[in-house]
Amino acid sequence: MTLGFIIIATTVVSLFSLVGILFLRTKEKVLQRIIFALVSFATGALLGGALFHLLPESLTIGNQAFFHLTIGIIVFFCLEKFLYWRHCHKGICDIHTFTYLNLIGDGIHNFIDGVVIATSFIVDLRLGLTTSIAVALHEIPQELGDFGVLVYGGFSVKKALGYNLLSAILCILGGLSTYFLSPYTNILKIPLLAFAAGGFLYIALVDLLPELRAKASLKESLAQLIFILLGIGLMLGLKFILPE
């Protein structure tokens, strides 16, 4: 019964990655305005997710968390360099490298969500249900932001939905791994949290913020600031409203 609940919960959470389907019929000009807002929102959500959720939880192992966070930043830097060298020619990229980085970082985060959900169900059914609801509510705004980043980075709407779903399926893998290999996944959970935090900080500060800075008008800059603060504020609010 516990395994069944884990599979159902992680599958439902994974399906929230398809929230971008709401924009399939949106006109191109309107979609671009929405994407502009979502990228700004995603920047704030990545910062808030890393600083208010992932990093504080990983600090339970002490200063080693900053070591794993630093590794995350360096690894994502190396990955971006490799992706740029592999996929870009003469400085031109059809798909921006930060889209792949976002998928990797989000995939790690989704895997950890699966670990958290499964661990909660193993301890207690009610705790598992509460945790699953908390994770689901946390995922909706994040998946919207991820969808916006992928479309802004060059993916079509349909490809963005597909890749986002592939990344989200790692939540199911995390849940199953925890159920069958709980001693090993629990050991890896904390370092992975700090590693993912480093990746999220790198994407937000190195890739997305410079992109947003290219929009120079006062009106656009104010709109960016508002949506960035909304992303940060939502993650901060979830910190106090929902259990970790």
Side-chain angles (χ1 to χ4, degrees), residues 9 22 24 28 31 33 56 58 64 66 71 77 89 97 100 105 116 146 149 163 168 174-175 195 198 219 222 231 240:
L22 297 172
L24 270 177
E28 183 67 24
L31 180 62
R33 292 178 182 174
S58 65
Q64 290 181 24
F66 292 102
I71 290 177
F77 170 76
H89 305 280
T97 54
Y100 300 107
V116 171
D146 290 334
V149 169
Y163 278 101
F195 182 87
K219 182 179 179 181
L222 287 174
F240 295 103

Side-chain angles (χ1 to χ4, degrees), residues 36-91:
F36 169 80
L38 289 179
V39 171
S40 300
F41 178 85
T43 302
L46 285 169
L47 290 172
L51 297 176
F52 300 144
H53 295 270
L54 300 180
L55 185 57
E57 190 170 347
S58 65
L59 283 171
T60 56
I61 59 171
N63 291 333
Q64 290 181 24
F66 292 102
F67 172 74
H68 295 295
L69 180 139
T70 304
I71 290 177
I73 293 173
I74 293 172
V75 168
F76 272 70
F77 170 76
C78 294
L79 280 171
E80 185 165 47
K81 285 293 184 180
F82 171 77
L83 290 168
Y84 187 85
W85 172 80
R86 178 70 178 79
H87 295 285
C88 301
H89 305 280
K90 298 180 180 178

Side-chain angles (χ1 to χ4, degrees), residues 87-161:
H87 295 285
C88 301
H89 305 280
K90 298 180 180 178
I92 300 174
C93 287
D94 293 326
I95 304 293
H96 287 283
T97 54
F98 62 71
T99 56
Y100 300 107
L101 296 182
N102 192 70
L103 286 169
I104 294 169
D106 195 37
I108 294 171
H109 188 195
N110 290 328
F111 182 87
I112 294 168
D113 282 343
V115 172
V116 171
I117 289 172
T119 301
S120 301
F121 273 113
I122 290 171
V123 173
D124 179 72
L125 175 60
R126 285 179 297 178
L127 178 61
L129 291 172
T130 303
T131 301
S132 298
I133 293 170
V135 171
L137 291 175
H138 186 103
E139 282 298 304
I140 294 172
Q142 180 176 318
E143 294 299 344
L144 268 176
D146 290 334
F147 169 78
V149 169
L150 294 181
V151 175
Y152 181 79
F155 284 109
S156 66
V157 172
K158 290 183 179 179
K159 281 190 175 181
L161 287 171

Side-chain angles (χ1 to χ4, degrees), residues 212-227:
L212 295 176
R213 285 181 60 194
K215 304 285 185 180
S217 76
L218 178 60
K219 182 179 179 181
E220 288 174 323
S221 298
L222 287 174
Q224 287 172 355
L225 178 60
I226 290 171
F227 281 104

Side-chain angles (χ1 to χ4, degrees), residues 1-13 114 117-122 124-130 132-133 171-172 175-176 179:
M1 183 179 290
T2 299
L3 178 59
F5 277 115
I6 290 171
I7 293 173
I8 292 171
T10 53
T11 300
V12 170
V13 169
I117 289 172
T119 301
S120 301
F121 273 113
I122 290 171
D124 179 72
L125 175 60
R126 285 179 297 178
L127 178 61
L129 291 172
T130 303
S132 298
I133 293 170
C171 180
I172 301 174
L176 293 175
Y179 183 80

